[in-house]
Amino acid sequence: MFSDAVYAALGGGALAAAMLPRLVFRRPLSMPMVFLAVGVTVALLPLPLPVVDPVQDRLWVEHATEVCVIVSLMGAGLALNRPFGLGRWAGPWRLLGVAMPLTIATTGLLAVVLLDWPPAAALLVAAVLAPTDPVLAAEVRVGEPADSERDDDEVRFTLTAEAGLNDGLAFPFVLAAISLAAAGGDWSANWIGPWALGDLLAKTAIGIAAGLVTGRLLGWMFFRAKPSAVRLSEHLEGFVALGATFLSYGIAEIAYGYGFLAVFVTACTVRAVERNHGYHKVLHEFTEQIERMLTAFFLFLLGAYLAKTGFDTLTWPAALLGLLLVLAVRPVTAWVSQIGLSTGPREKIVTSAFGIRGIGSLFYLAYALGHNDFNGLAKQMWSLIAFTVLVSVILHGITATPVITRLDRLRRTSRKPP
């Protein structure tokens, strides 16, 4: 009966993941909201379905969310058609170089003040909550690959590119928290030096290099190889996207680089080899379908976890920290990072507001807790992270459609000739 119920739940979830995006299209509702609500509801019913405990099932959660993140990174990179450049990517660079460090510093300080947590635990929570995740609100990300770089509006492009890059660039700060915890909270040069040279600089460089090399080789194979059997773009097989995803991730990790960063760079590099080829849409559609199914699965489990035990260790100060991050810290730091950009004020406000937290945060916390117990705060951390993701999914899921729809309407109106 137990396995039968699991099969039925998986089948129903897969069908719902296919139908829901069309049912909630152009409505102040999102697929993640629905699956969270279903997870909560089912967990409260007397049904023989499993409930994942992220503390006891940490290893399973880590690797399952890892797969979900890298698949979404491949899809995000394939969707972007704007060439790399300081000027063209000014928005994402500012969010990564200014908003992200400010968010980590502010969130860490709030964790110390509000929760009275040791510095290592505060830094971990700040780093875990730093990555954004537009996959949880489809309206604010770039859709399918466009034919022209001008087809990507600035808000969607900036949020998608930011999420693709900061999922990898948050890793050094997670590793810094692990090193700080191992040093007993001592900010000493014994670990800061090796961290800066190794975890921050070397691993980032290796991840980028692995992504560039893998992307170039795959791009040649897909579009320019002489034998037609090797030139996979002629066969239009979408599952190849998974092969590219796992290959680039594995190569980067074997070389001690950041695999998340490598996957996104690989996708962008493959896109750059032949920007307007229809094969990009085939690859993107396949990754999007896998990503949608995995995301629905995890949000269902997250809803069940929150309904059963997720709120047991959540304190009011921790809930306040999550609310402050979503409602104040991210909007303010992102706005500050965009000062001086030519983007209009409306676009800056929307970009600042939609710093969505999601699956990446779950992975980073599971990963870090596998290396240190952080003074036995695992359950409290999971409650805080899960609550913050819940707030983000509900708030941004309700507001994304009306806000982006109005922004698109205003943009079209301003472009009309007098």
Side-chain angles (χ1 to χ4, degrees), residues 77-340:
L78 289 171
L80 297 176
N81 196 34
R82 190 176 301 188
F84 275 115
L86 292 177
R88 291 188 180 101
W89 285 54
W93 298 145
R94 293 285 196 94
L95 290 174
L96 293 166
V98 178
M100 186 174 170
L102 286 177
T103 299
I104 292 175
T106 306
T107 306
L109 180 61
L110 286 172
V112 172
V113 173
L114 293 176
L115 307 179
D116 195 27
W117 282 1
L123 177 58
L124 175 62
V125 166
V128 163
L129 289 172
T132 55
D133 192 358
V135 70
L136 294 187
E139 286 287 348
V140 300
R141 64 172 177 168
V142 173
E144 66 178 16
D147 294 329
S148 170
E149 65 177 273
R150 292 187 294 273
D151 292 340
D152 295 341
D153 71 82
E154 197 61 36
V155 171
R156 289 184 176 91
F157 167 77
T158 299
L159 288 172
T160 304
E162 178 201 13
L165 288 168
N166 70 14
D167 263 328
L169 295 178
F171 229 130
F173 299 98
V174 173
L175 295 178
I178 295 173
S179 298
L180 181 59
D186 181 20
W187 297 88
S188 68
N190 292 331
W191 70 265
I192 293 178
W195 169 82
L197 293 175
D199 296 334
L200 183 61
L201 298 178
K203 289 187 176 183
T204 299
I206 293 171
I208 294 173
L212 289 171
V213 172
T214 307
R216 283 290 180 185
L217 290 174
L218 291 174
W220 171 83
M221 180 187 297
F222 291 170
F223 304 108
R224 298 178 181 175
K226 295 294 184 181
S228 60
V230 178
R231 195 164 58 250
L232 297 176
S233 60
E234 293 190 0
H235 307 285
L236 301 179
E237 293 174 323
F239 72 88
V240 172
L242 283 182
T245 301
F246 295 143
L247 178 65
S248 60
Y249 186 77
I251 289 174
E253 291 291 322
I254 289 172
Y256 298 100
Y258 291 130
F260 286 177
L261 199 55
V263 170
F264 183 74
V265 173
T266 294
C268 292
T269 305
V270 168
R271 185 70 195 271
V273 171
E274 195 73 35
R275 290 198 176 276
N276 298 322
H277 200 287
Y279 190 44
H280 293 303
K281 291 185 179 181
V282 176
L283 296 173
H284 179 266
E285 286 174 1
F286 187 86
T287 57
E288 187 178 35
Q289 291 170 1
I290 300 299
E291 167 197 302
R292 191 190 309 164
M293 194 163 59
L294 290 174
T295 302
F297 173 66
F298 284 116
L299 289 173
F300 176 86
L301 294 179
L302 180 63
Y305 161 69
L306 288 169
K308 287 292 188 179
T309 60
F311 291 120
D312 290 352
T313 55
L314 182 68
T315 63
W316 285 108
L320 177 60
L321 173 60
L323 290 171
L324 286 173
L325 171 68
V326 174
L327 299 176
V329 176
R330 159 65 187 202
V332 172
T333 57
W335 175 265
V336 170
S337 72
Q338 297 177 90
I339 294 175

Side-chain angles (χ1 to χ4, degrees), residues 56-79:
Q56 295 182 0
D57 304 317
R58 185 206 61 79
L59 189 61
W60 181 90
V61 172
E62 176 188 336
H63 291 302
T65 51
E66 185 178 28
V67 172
C68 186
V69 172
I70 61 176
V71 170
S72 68
L73 290 174
M74 177 59 68
L78 289 171

